[in-house]
Amino acid sequence: MPSQTMFVLDFDGVLADSSALCLDLLRRVPDDLWDRLDDISFPAMARYLGVPAAQQGRYVQRTFERMADAAYRPALFDGVDGVLRVLAQEGPVAILSASPAAVIETALDCAGLSGSVAAIRDGRDPTSKAAKLPSLLDQFGASPNHAVMVGDAVSDIRAGQAFVHNVVKALV
């Protein structure tokens, strides 16, 4: 019997319309940042903006604190609630995002989706999404052959490709 499919989804721009809220938080970010930056994470943005390495952790922490404010509450895109319910019946659903888990959990709760997502990995862990994928799949005993990753940034595509490349390399 084949294993269940695991679904790994980005949050910002895939499940929730958070771009305006996020950009408002990062007012110093140039308008064309999204076109120039492959890795859409807060540590990458800090590096891009020239924040000294020793201060990047604090920059990310302050950004997370701003996102915890009640004014920052991105809504899920229309229809996402139904999609997540269907996916959760097919296999474990995980969210892999730069946004804080509390923000994601609040959006899910507001949509009546508490319990539909099996795991959330947020941006407090500064490692790449590619580095987070193996442990996430291991947690659910998911095979890379039965996993789907959905994102909206070049970094999401690269994370999936890097993970698959490393799996193939390990098998050879």
Side-chain angles (χ1 to χ4, degrees), residues 66-153:
R66 288 182 198 118
M67 292 175 87
D69 187 272
Y72 185 84
R73 292 293 175 257
L76 297 181
F77 286 113
D78 289 339
V80 163
D81 57 338
V83 170
L84 286 178
R85 284 187 184 93
V86 169
L87 292 178
Q89 292 174 356
E90 298 299 319
V93 175
I95 296 176
L96 187 54
S97 175
S99 286
V103 170
I104 297 167
E105 290 164 355
T106 299
L108 294 172
D109 289 345
C110 289
L113 293 167
S114 297
S116 295
V117 173
I120 297 172
R121 297 284 196 284
D122 68 9
R124 287 176 292 184
D125 175 351
T127 60
S128 70
K129 288 182 179 181
K132 294 174 190 173
L133 277 171
S135 66
L136 193 54
L137 268 62
D138 285 347
Q139 178 181 346
F140 297 96
S143 160
N145 295 332
H146 293 97
V148 175
M149 183 170 168
V150 180
D152 65 338

Side-chain angles (χ1 to χ4, degrees), residues 41-56:
S41 67
F42 295 118
M45 287 181 206
R47 286 189 298 276
Y48 178 83
L49 293 170
V51 175
Q55 296 174 4
Q56 288 175 9

